[in-house]
Amino acid sequence: MDNTAAAQEPITLASSHFWRRFAASAVDVIIFQAAILITVHYISTVFSLDFRFPRWTSMECTEKVPDQLAKRVDTGWPLKPNEFRTNQICEVRQLGFGKQRYLQVAVQIEPWDYVTPAQVLTMPVDADNNPVTKTLPAYAGLISGIGNIGLIVLAFACFSANGRRTFGKAVFFLRVQSIDRKDLNLGSALKREILKFGPNLLFSATIFASSLFPIYPTQDFDALLAMFHDGYIPSDKGTTGLYVIWTIAAMVWWLFPFIVWRGQAFYDRVCACDVVSA
């Protein structure tokens, strides 16, 4: 047998195994994430806490803006004839971080032409309703992001250890084992899942790092009002860049090795594991 010729043959992943594994992971993530969000929503509702999960917040807003602050906004950002403004004070209670208050100013044209974007200025305010122009590191977002990933990692690990299977892998007849076809213990399964969700952890850390920089080009509140009056609209390039970083990390960490190594990703090789048909 010509071993050299065999070694030069391209390695490809069987499509059935690829899609079975992809579908199983999708089912598991949906189930685990739904369980987490339902639990968090219930706790947030009962205790009026905001855990910073997307679409599951307990932020409460009121249009009762103090007169002094409202006049300051009117003076610094006078409206044009076809514009109308909404001023709100929003409060968020975060577990371990107390209560944070925000001034939210939104200006739109009337009638709305479906093309011109609304101008929205969001600024933290202190207990005396004075705008806080310094940056506020997103510690709560970092903790909730890592906490969410941690719970998913723990769920995957518990359902993959000691011969067990997750819901998705059971449906699609797959099982995680070591390369010598032995069941994983909890420690090995936990290590594998932490490495698997590395791009998600990187994404949370990147979002936190971006919060350390000023959102607006100036920290002078009155100067910022004048900029918005002149048509300034905050750019979303930073948010787009974060998703680009996450997409690249996901492609490098998950998809590329998954295709090249017959379904064995980086974290599988590090942990000497493989996903096999059950």
Side-chain angles (χ1 to χ4, degrees):
M1 179 178 181
D2 190 348
N3 293 330
T4 302
Q8 292 177 348
E9 292 181 0
I11 299 176
T12 58
L13 175 67
S15 59
S16 59
H17 191 60
F18 176 89
W19 290 113
R20 284 168 60 195
R21 199 170 162 180
F22 176 84
S25 296
V27 169
D28 290 332
V29 169
I30 291 173
I31 291 175
F32 293 145
Q33 187 67 85
I36 292 171
L37 290 179
I38 291 172
T39 302
V40 167
H41 178 62
Y42 176 78
I43 296 175
S44 300
T45 303
V46 172
F47 298 100
S48 298
L49 296 174
D50 180 16
F51 290 90
R52 293 289 181 170
F53 279 78
R55 302 181 184 275
W56 296 83
T57 64
S58 60
M59 179 181 289
E60 296 181 359
C61 297
T62 176
E63 295 187 7
K64 295 181 179 179
V65 178
D67 292 338
Q68 179 181 359
L69 185 56
K71 291 179 180 178
R72 189 175 176 183
V73 173
D74 292 338
T75 301
W77 187 355
L79 293 175
K80 299 173 184 178
N82 64 331
E83 294 179 336
F84 72 95
R85 174 169 35 234
T86 302
N87 296 330
Q88 292 182 317
I89 293 291
C90 300
E91 294 187 352
V92 176
R93 293 186 62 188
Q94 304 171 32
L95 181 64
F97 292 89
K99 181 172 63 176
Q100 179 64 59
R101 304 172 71 244
Y102 296 88
L103 167 67
Q104 188 175 84
V105 182
V107 171
Q108 292 179 310
I109 63 172
E110 191 176 34
W112 187 32
D113 59 7
Y114 296 94
V115 176
T116 305
Q119 292 176 282
V120 180
L121 168 63
T122 302
M123 183 70 65
V125 295
D126 59 20
D128 297 323
N129 296 313
N130 295 315
V132 180
T133 56
K134 65 180 181 180
T135 59
L136 295 177
Y139 290 110
L142 177 67
I143 291 175
S144 66
I146 293 178
N148 181 55
I149 297 170
L151 290 173
I152 292 179
V153 164
L154 186 61
F156 267 98
C158 290
F159 278 90
S160 300
N162 301 320
R164 294 186 292 270
R165 290 186 289 175
T166 60
F167 301 104
K169 287 184 174 62
V171 170
F172 291 95
F173 305 102
L174 298 172
R175 184 185 301 276
V176 181
Q177 291 183 330
S178 64
I179 56 175
D180 56 0
R181 297 299 178 257
K182 293 182 180 179
D183 293 331
L184 303 183
N185 56 36
L186 182 58
S188 298
L190 189 60
K191 177 182 176 181
R192 178 180 181 273
E193 299 304 329
I194 291 174
L195 291 174
K196 178 199 294 185
F197 288 93
N200 302 73
L201 295 171
L202 175 63
F203 185 65
S204 295
T206 305
I207 291 178
F208 172 74
S210 67
S211 72
L212 301 178
F213 298 91
I215 300 176
Y216 302 116
T218 178
Q219 294 186 0
D220 186 315
F221 182 64
D222 296 305
L224 194 58
L225 290 174
M227 290 179 60
F228 272 85
H229 174 261
D230 293 337
Y232 170 75
I233 297 177
S235 174
D236 61 351
K237 292 182 179 179
T239 302
T240 303
L242 291 177
Y243 282 99
V244 169
I245 291 174
W246 185 87
T247 301
I248 294 174
M251 292 288 288
V252 172
W253 190 245
W254 291 329
L255 188 58
F256 175 75
F258 196 78
I259 294 175
V260 172
W261 293 333
R262 299 183 182 272
Q264 191 181 46
F266 279 124
Y267 50 86
D268 286 324
R269 288 207 164 190
V270 172
C271 299
C273 300
D274 200 3
V275 178
V276 299
S277 295

